Amino acid sequence: MPRRPLELQSLKWPFVGLAVLLAFSSLWAVYDEVVPRRPWKNFQREFFQLEEAHLKADRERAQKRLEAPETKQQLEAARAEFKAATEAISGNPEQRREYEAVLKAEEAARVKEDEAKLYLGFDKSDQDAVYYKLREARHENQAAEEARLQKEFDGWQRKIDEKTRLYNEAIVAHKAATQKRLAFIQRRDAAQAKIEATEKPIRLRRSIRARTSGTRSSPARSVTSSTVRPAIKESGALGS
């Protein structure tokens, strides 16, 4: 039987076969990439389930400790102290009366310190002028003028000593007034720190759980030693 010319032969079925083979190859490549080559996904899923159960148990234990009568009483007392301390600083005028008085006292002490420093500087400048003239009198061997200037110099020194004492007292008074103002802030911060220390376990477990949920929802992240160990370490520290 004579062969048909090549340009008249149909290549439809070979191309169909190749297309089907290519489709099956693509499906197999996707399956092989997603399932057999990524066994860590199952480990990841199991790890997140175990971690979530562990954190949930820790959270329930911390919640029980937080709801204990003694802890609850301490927390309520700390909240009441924080509220009172905050109102003493930024409450209504009646509540801020003592704090405003402290602020005014601090400002007055600061002004007094600045004035004492300024007047002390003035006297030192005047004494320097007298000292310059005293040196000139000594250099020119003017005994009478030297004695007069020495007496004037000693008078300025007594004034400087007195104003130095006043300046040091003003510094101490300013520091004391500042400490009184800081006592209000320290009282508020101490109460807030006590509240945070009591509620910290609950907030920490919530943040870890949210971070874990975010990681679980990300398909591109795998469970490696760098991601597993910190979570286990944190969970262990919280449990202790």
Side-chain angles (χ1 to χ4, degrees):
M1 182 177 180
R3 296 184 57 184
R4 297 179 60 188
L6 184 62
E7 63 272 11
L8 297 178
Q9 295 179 13
S10 175
L11 300 177
K12 177 178 65 176
W13 293 112
F15 277 113
V16 170
L18 291 175
V20 172
L21 181 61
L22 180 61
F24 278 111
S25 299
S26 300
L27 293 175
W28 176 84
V30 172
Y31 171 80
D32 183 64
E33 178 66 22
V34 173
V35 181
R37 294 191 180 184
R38 297 186 182 181
W40 52 263
K41 280 197 169 185
N42 295 328
F43 302 147
Q44 185 186 49
R45 192 177 300 108
E46 293 176 3
F47 170 78
F48 283 139
Q49 291 174 353
L50 291 173
E51 186 182 33
E52 185 175 0
H54 177 70
L55 293 176
K56 186 176 181 181
D58 285 348
R59 180 184 176 187
E60 290 176 354
R61 286 194 295 268
Q63 187 68 39
K64 288 181 181 180
R65 288 196 300 269
L66 190 61
E67 293 176 354
E70 182 179 357
T71 306
K72 194 172 183 180
Q73 184 177 2
Q74 294 176 355
L75 184 59
E76 290 177 355
R79 286 174 176 170
E81 175 68 11
F82 177 74
K83 182 181 179 182
T86 303
E87 290 177 347
I89 296 175
S90 57
N92 57 51
E94 181 65 25
Q95 294 169 331
R96 297 197 317 267
R97 179 181 298 177
E98 186 177 356
Y99 183 69
E100 294 292 339
V102 170
L103 290 179
K104 291 180 180 179
E106 182 185 16
E107 179 64 18
R110 185 190 65 79
V111 172
K112 190 174 181 180
E113 178 185 347
D114 292 341
E115 290 179 349
K117 183 179 180 180
L118 182 64
Y119 295 146
L120 178 60
F122 288 161
D123 286 356
K124 286 183 176 180
S125 297
D126 291 337
Q127 188 191 42
D128 289 340
V130 173
Y131 179 69
Y132 174 77
K133 295 178 181 179
L134 178 61
R135 287 176 54 192
E136 291 295 324
R138 286 175 181 172
H139 181 70
E140 298 295 335
N141 293 323
Q142 299 174 357
E145 183 68 13
E146 179 182 353
R148 186 186 68 80
L149 291 174
Q150 182 65 50
K151 184 178 180 180
E152 185 178 356
F153 180 86
D154 294 339
W156 280 113
Q157 185 60 47
R158 287 190 295 271
K159 291 181 179 180
I160 289 174
D161 293 340
E162 177 63 18
K163 290 187 177 179
T164 300
R165 182 186 64 81
L166 295 176
Y167 176 53
N168 291 332
E169 291 178 355
I171 292 176
V172 173
H174 187 195
K175 289 182 178 179
T178 302
Q179 288 299 323
K180 289 182 180 180
R181 176 181 61 82
L182 293 178
F184 284 85
I185 300 175
Q186 291 170 354
R187 176 192 175 193
R188 182 192 61 188
D189 293 345
Q192 185 176 5
K194 187 178 293 185
I195 294 173
E196 290 179 353
T198 306
E199 296 179 339
K200 183 178 179 180
I202 296 297
R203 291 199 306 271
L204 191 57
R205 283 166 176 82
R206 286 176 180 172
S207 64
I208 293 176
R209 185 176 182 182
R211 192 162 62 248
T212 303
S213 300
T215 305
R216 185 171 58 244
S217 63
S218 176
R221 184 168 180 177
S222 62
V223 174
T224 62
S225 59
S226 61
T227 58
V228 173
R229 289 176 184 173
I232 294 177
K233 184 177 181 180
E234 278 192 357
S235 301
L238 293 174
S240 60

